[in-house]
Structure formats: structure tokens, C-alpha cells
Amino acid sequence: MTSADALEELLLRLGVARADIPARVADRAARLRTLTNDLRLLIVLDNAHNAEQVRPLLPVGAGCAVLITSRRALSVGDVARPPVHVSLPNEDDALSVLAHWAGEDRIAADLATALRITRFCGRLPLALHIVGSKLRNRPDLSLAQMRDRLEDERERLRELSRSDSSLEACLGFSHRELTEPTRAAFDLITSLPAGRLTDWHFASVLESRRTAVEACDELVEVSLMEADGGGEADRGYRVHDLIRVYAAEQYDQLPPDDRRQLEARLVRAFRDAVVHLAAPRAPELAAEVSTERVDGLDRSSAAAWVSGEQKRLEWAIGRGRSLGMDTEAAEIGEALSYFLNDITLPSGAADWLFSAPSGARPRVRRSLRRARATMALAEGAPDTALSLLMSGGTETEERPDAVDRARDEMVVAAAHAAKRDFRDALRHMTGAVDGLRTAGDSWHVLNSLEKLGELQRWRGKPELAERSQREALRLAEQAGDRRACARLRRTLAETLGYLRRPEEAAPLLEETIHDFRVLNDRRWEGASLYALGKIYRLLGRRDEALDCYRRAEEIFGPMGERHWVGRVTNARIRVLAGLGDLDAARETAASAIEIFRQLGDEMWVAHTQRDVGWLHLKAGRPAEALGPLTHAVEVTERAGDAYANAMARHLRGVAHRDLGHPAEAHADFDAALAVYRSGDYAWNEAAVVHDVVRALRAEGRSEEAAALETGTAAANPLFTGMHGRNGAEAVPDED
């Protein structure tokens, strides 16, 4: 209605004859004020378009009140009360709205399906009203059938209409009022995979930050978007799912040439953005994009941006290829490859995301090949990774330079580690670190040092591992990368556990868990909870350790991370045994072995068999312990995992000792001691020596036992604190 039409309606309702209604708006408004001055009256002005439309309709009498609803934020002068923002009902209230229209009994009979329907309706009261009315009028239409009708996003809006109301028509009022550039940009952006929006997205389509800010202000003003975030630096927006679906459908109606032009512009913007953000990790990309073309993107939060934009970057790669922009698509893939630690890709996606067109530059081709090799590793195919890296470089232009060779060496090392060949893995990773240092490639030095530390730890050199990981952490802190810092604190804490410094490790992991929670990285949060559980166990805080394992499993279970579920299950064995529940510990070990056998993970089967052997020792069955412990010794020896091999040999030595096999016992004890004495393993050394002393005394070699005991006590202060320790009874790794 115009103001004039609305005034005419109000005056008629107040008893004014149509013939007596003035012609001019100002005169009609004056007549309204006169008639209502002494009344107690509520006037409801629904769906006001703007302040000019509303202002003439306002009475001035002290007993009068006006309730105005609008899609826009209105300013109509001296208003007694501030505007009220109308938010969506919560799930319980949304169910109540649906039940009001559909019938209480019907909704109560199948709450789970009804809740699904409210979610498909986005909890919008109009959508719930339409669906509820349809259900009331159609007793033959079940809730499950209505849920199925709403399942398809693109069909949902057509289902949310009936003869007298339609969600599409309602949204159309606001959509049609947008300026043409804002409407086109909004429709394109909402057709992308869903996620948080920022001014950058609109600037990328509208090609001007100022125009983008104006467009976003316009969309917020008409309630098609909602502001989400704190200050200017974190300015973002949310779009309701049903509005997103509606706008995406409008986008499909644009002429094909207009769509191609807008999409090409956005593909180029995504290419510039991700290349710019990857430059600190791959310095050769720094000259690829001018700073002016990436205004508004902060490199310090690059990992978070890429993680949040992952699905849209995948869209840009696919759409770029469809538009004949193969070069841009390949360069997006190249830049994305430097964030593989920060994202999770679906199985089999690597060949598509990181394929190189025939005309791609050699540097791009090498980077994409390395990305495919890295993803092959993540999918458990180390031989494929090695094959990919060995297949390149046959032509002159394909031969990698020193930096590329060192980066490839990192992946080769990781492949050997995945094949449980830790000797070659350590050799290749050491070479990678040296090459990357020489090239000044600090980001890859950081990552190679992290992996080098793990390999040094496995090879029995935890003191070297700590040095490598602390250097990596310093580099991450210098880079200002919160995610890398959190990941490296976790790795360092694990090494501190090996060094028997759990009191230093615990606060590192507690901080790390907080950071991953803030970063919304559930996988790394779960991995950090698992690590903290092990540290709490070393501190004797067994109930807290079990709680950490429970929380980790609650993360990994729904994610389908079977390997991590197996590791968490394995970690419970020693805690349960330490609490005296050997039956539960044995059942847990059997569950862990079953998981690892299904996954084909021989190393973790061996780790768990070592714990099974120890459980037999603790139950007084040394003969039954020999089989699983021998299996653990053989597997870890083949792999070159010196630390795990020493642990298994120590326990097998205890079994031989208790069975009266002195030669075999001393051979195993000596092998374990050789590893522990070659690295900073004072605690482990002290524990083994106690078992050697006990063996010597059982053999009647008391003088040798006393000499060994005296010498070790003088050289290793931890030895005295373990007085009376027996490896057949004590919980491994705990005082």
C-alpha cells in the first residue's frame, strides 16, 4: 500500500465516510491524529517498506501505540523504544509451531522425523506454517513422506508453498528490491558451497571493495544476510539456507554469458587469493600476485581461510576447467597443495584436484605431482607415492631444482616411514632438512624438522627429536601460524613423554587442545586428547587419562577414523591394568588387535601384542608371554623402530628370566640397554637394570648384581627411586 491507501483504510475503520476522507496525504494524516488523540489504540503496520511510507501513519495520542514490522531496519524519528530484532525460534519452539498447525499428537508420535522437518524448514515460522497446514489437510501424508519431499534442496522451495502463501513469493519481495549488481553478485555467491561470507567474496565479483561493502550493507538492510562477527577485521555474514537456495535458483535464470563472465571473475579471484596466501610457504609464489588484487586477506590466518574456503576452492578448480581456465585451475591446485596439513580431502580426490594440464609450467606440474604423492601417502599407498615422485624429471624442463628435490625428499622419507622402514626414512628426511636449510625454504624446514623429530625418536634418539621439534616450533611461532604451533606443541609433548618429562608435556597439550578447539579442528583435537591421556598416565592420573581417551574416541568414532580408534583402544590397556582390572585390559587388547588386523597395520598389531605379552607376565604366565613378545620384537626390528624394539626386548627378557632361560634373558636385556644408553633414556635404562639385577641374583651371581646395582645408582639417580621394581609386575612407563 501507499501511505495514502493505508490512511484511507485506517480512516474508514475509524468510522469516517469515504466521501469525507481528504484527498491529500498530509490532510489524511492530520485527520488520523485528530481522531486518535483521545483513544487507547494499537495500530499494527505489517511489512513496512520504508520510513517514508510509515511516517504519515503514526498517531500522537498518549494512549496510542504502533507496532511496525519490516524487512529493513527503519528509522522513523523519535521512537520511544529501540527496534526489536526478530530471531529464529529454537528447535523446541519450532517443533511447537509445527505441532500447532499439524496437530500435537501427530508430531509427538514421531519427534525425530518432525525435528528433521523443522531443520529442512530452517525453523522459519512461515515455512513451518505451510508444512504444518499441508499435514493437517492431508491425514494420508505421513511425516516421513513430508520429510522425503523436503530432502532435495532444489525442490524444497516448491514444496514450501500453498494456494494462499509461498516462501518463494515472500523472499521475492526483498530480492527484487536489490540493485542489479548486488543481486547478481549475491545470487552467484549463494550458488557456491555454503559457508561464511565476507566482504572479500563480494569484492571478488563486483571488483571494488567499496562497491562490495555497499552491496553487503544493502543485503543486511533487507535481511537477506545477517552480520556475523566482531569488528571490521572479522566482518562476516550468514545466509539462511532457504534464502541461499532461493538466490541460487535465481542465479540459474541469468543469461549464460552473464554467468560465465561473473564465474570467470570469481575463479581468478580465488586463484589470486590462495596463491597469495601460499606464498609464505612457497616463496616462489610471491611474485605471482600483486597485493592490490588480494585486498582484505590476512596471511597470518591463511590456514584458517583455506580450511574455511576448501569446498569453494574445489568449486573454483572444477569451474575453471569448465570455462577453459586450465592454467588458473592448476595454479589453485598448486597453492592448495601447501595446505594439506590444514584440510581433509575425500579419498580419491587428489587425482582430480591436482591434475596438471598439458600446458602447465614445469614448476606447477612438479608441485601437483608432489601433492598427489602426499595424498597417496595419506590414503595408505606409499608405493604409489614413491612411483609418482620417481616418474617425473625425465625431460630437461621437468627436472626439479634443488628446492623441489628437497621437498620431494620429504615425501620420500614419509613414504619409507609409512612402509615401516625407519632407517631409510631418517636418512631421506635428514637430507631433506639439509637441502631446505641451504635453500632458505623456512616453511618446509619447519615441516621436515617436525617429521625428522618423530623419526629420531623412533630410532632411539629422543634428545635429538626434542631439539628438532623445538626448532620447528620456533619457526612456526615466527611465521605466526597458530595451527602449525599447536600441531608442533603436540609433537614436542609426545617426545617429552618419551624423555620422562610429563610435567612439562601436560601444559603444552592442554594449550594445544584449546587451540584446536578454537580452530574448529576436531581431528587434531582428538589426536591431542589421545596424547594428553598418555601423559596423564605417566603422571599416575589414570582416571583423567581414561577421560581423555573417551573424549578422543567420541571425536574419532563418528568421523570413521578407525586407525585412531584403534590407537585410543590400545592406550587404555596399560591404564586399566594399572587400575588392577586385568580382565578389562585383556578384552581391550583383543579389540585393538582386531581393529589393526582389519586395517592391515602390522606395526600397531605388534605394539598391541607387546602389551598382551606384558599382561601375561603380570598374570604370572611368562610362557604365554613369549609368543606375542617375539612377534613384537620381529616386526619392530624389521621396521627399524629402535625404541619399540627395545621395549619389546626388555619384556621378553623378563619372560625368559622368569622361565629360567638366562642366556636368552641377558641377550634381550643387553639389546634393550644398548638402545637406551645410546639415547637420553635414563628412566628406561634404570628399569631394565633392575630386571638384570634380579636375574643375576636368581642365577646366584650376587657379586655381579651388587656391582651393577652400585654402579648404576651412582650414574643414574632414577635407579634408586625404583628400588624393588620388577618388570613382570610394574606398569611399563610408570614409576
Side-chain angles (χ1 to χ4, degrees), residues 179-200:
T179 59
E180 187 174 339
T182 297
R183 187 165 57 242
F186 181 63
D187 293 352
L188 166 58
I189 291 168
T190 53
S191 73
L192 302 177
R196 189 171 185 262
L197 302 178
T198 64
D199 293 338
W200 177 85

Side-chain angles (χ1 to χ4, degrees), residues 364-380:
V364 176
R365 296 177 68 84
R366 289 193 297 268
S367 298
L368 293 172
R369 182 166 51 241
R370 186 162 53 247
R372 293 198 302 278
T374 302
M375 289 309 302
L377 273 181
E379 293 174 10

Side-chain angles (χ1 to χ4, degrees), residues 250-310:
Q250 305 311 302
Y251 180 70
D252 289 343
Q253 298 173 22
L254 279 178
D257 286 345
D258 291 353
R259 291 204 304 271
R260 280 193 291 271
Q261 183 178 356
L262 290 167
E263 290 164 6
R265 195 180 297 164
L266 191 54
V267 168
R268 282 191 291 271
F270 272 117
R271 178 266 178 198
D272 290 348
V274 72
V275 169
H276 167 77
L277 294 174
R281 304 182 175 203
E284 65 272 19
L285 300 180
E288 295 281 319
V289 183
S290 64
T291 308
E292 300 76 38
R293 283 158 54 190
V294 287
D295 184 35
L297 291 180
D298 180 7
R299 279 179 170 167
S300 67
S301 57
W305 189 91
V306 171
S307 177
E309 295 294 322
Q310 178 185 338

Side-chain angles (χ1 to χ4, degrees), residues 148-260:
D148 293 344
R149 287 188 180 190
L150 296 169
E151 187 87 38
D152 186 338
E153 213 177 53
R154 286 304 180 102
E155 293 298 321
R156 197 172 300 159
L157 283 175
R158 276 167 280 288
E159 195 62 44
L160 294 176
S161 65
R162 55 192 183 118
S163 57
D164 59 342
S165 60
S166 161
L167 190 62
E168 279 189 286
C170 182
L171 295 174
F173 286 126
S174 300
H175 189 265
R176 286 193 299 272
E177 291 177 10
L178 298 173
T179 59
E180 187 174 339
T182 297
R183 187 165 57 242
F186 181 63
D187 293 352
L188 166 58
I189 291 168
T190 53
S191 73
L192 302 177
R196 189 171 185 262
L197 302 178
T198 64
D199 293 338
W200 177 85
H201 293 94
F202 288 89
S204 298
V205 179
L206 296 168
E207 295 192 314
S208 159
R209 186 166 179 81
R210 180 174 178 178
T211 307
V213 170
E214 291 171 352
C216 292
D217 289 346
E218 182 182 358
L219 289 159
V220 170
E221 185 181 347
V222 298
S223 300
L224 288 175
M225 286 198 320
E226 184 178 355
D228 168 33
E232 186 68 26
D234 192 36
R235 175 167 152 141
Y237 310 96
R238 290 191 303 267
V239 178
H240 191 282
D241 278 349
L242 292 175
I243 295 176
R244 178 178 54 79
V245 172
Y246 172 82
E249 288 189 356
Q250 305 311 302
Y251 180 70
D252 289 343
Q253 298 173 22
L254 279 178
D257 286 345
D258 291 353
R259 291 204 304 271
R260 280 193 291 271

Side-chain angles (χ1 to χ4, degrees), residues 318-599:
R319 196 67 190 115
R321 290 179 184 145
S322 299
L323 294 168
M325 303 170 69
D326 288 344
T327 297
E328 287 85 350
E331 290 172 357
I332 293 172
E334 177 194 19
L336 187 62
S337 74
Y338 294 108
F339 294 91
L340 292 179
N341 279 333
D342 306 301
I343 61 176
T344 302
L345 293 174
S347 179
D351 287 341
W352 179 80
L353 283 173
F354 302 123
S355 65
S358 56
R361 287 178 285 176
R363 185 206 75 213
V364 176
R365 296 177 68 84
R366 289 193 297 268
S367 298
L368 293 172
R369 182 166 51 241
R370 186 162 53 247
R372 293 198 302 278
T374 302
M375 289 309 302
L377 273 181
E379 293 174 10
D383 289 326
T384 301
L386 291 171
S387 174
L388 278 164
L389 291 173
M390 299 307 158
S391 67
T394 55
E395 299 177 13
T396 303
E397 69 271 19
E398 286 288 313
R399 287 176 188 159
D401 59 17
V403 173
D404 274 311
R405 284 197 300 273
R407 291 177 186 174
D408 285 354
E409 194 87 345
M410 286 176 61
V411 184
V412 169
H416 282 291
K419 289 165 68 70
R420 306 304 183 188
D421 179 0
F422 296 127
R423 296 179 187 84
D424 274 355
L426 180 61
R427 178 172 57 82
H428 282 288
M429 195 64 77
T430 302
V433 171
D434 292 342
L436 294 165
R437 281 192 200 281
T438 302
D441 189 351
S442 61
W443 176 259
H444 288 88
V445 169
L446 178 165
N447 284 280
S448 60
L449 280 170
E450 177 185 5
K451 301 302 181 187
L452 178 64
E454 291 183 353
L455 293 166
Q456 288 168 329
R457 192 175 70 206
W458 294 336
R459 291 292 293 151
K461 299 290 184 182
E463 68 283 1
L464 297 182
E466 181 187 6
R467 191 184 310 163
S468 296
Q469 289 160 356
R470 286 196 183 279
E471 182 183 351
L473 181 55
R474 282 195 299 273
L475 290 171
E477 289 169 345
Q478 289 168 11
D481 191 306
R482 186 175 188 177
R483 189 183 298 268
C485 287
R487 195 179 69 241
L488 282 157
R489 279 197 304 273
R490 178 194 176 279
T491 307
L492 174 60
E494 284 197 316
T495 297
L496 292 172
Y498 278 70
L499 288 164
R500 296 301 179 275
R501 287 151 58 189
E503 65 287 341
E504 294 178 51
L508 282 175
L509 285 166
E510 287 158 357
E511 182 183 0
T512 294
I513 290 166
H514 172 267
D515 280 357
F516 281 129
R517 196 170 292 144
V518 170
L519 292 165
N520 196 30
D521 191 326
R522 296 284 284 165
R523 188 176 186 279
W524 276 102
E525 181 188 345
S528 302
L529 282 164
Y530 162 80
L532 182 60
K534 294 175 71 175
I535 296 300
Y536 281 160
R537 177 172 63 80
L538 293 179
L539 290 167
R541 295 157 62 177
R542 290 169 177 151
D543 288 337
E544 291 172 86
L546 288 174
D547 184 61
C548 284
Y549 296 148
R550 175 189 59 78
R551 290 158 61 196
E553 191 168 37
E554 286 173 355
I555 291 173
F556 291 129
M559 293 173 69
E561 290 274 6
R562 293 278 292 156
H563 184 267
W564 273 108
V565 170
R567 290 179 67 174
V568 171
T569 305
N570 167 277
R572 288 193 178 100
I573 298 169
R574 297 185 194 180
V575 182
L576 292 169
L579 290 167
D581 194 344
L582 293 184
D583 289 339
R586 280 191 290 271
E587 291 173 8
T588 302
S591 297
I593 288 174
E594 180 62 25
I595 292 171
F596 293 130
R597 281 181 173 157
Q598 289 174 3
L599 295 172

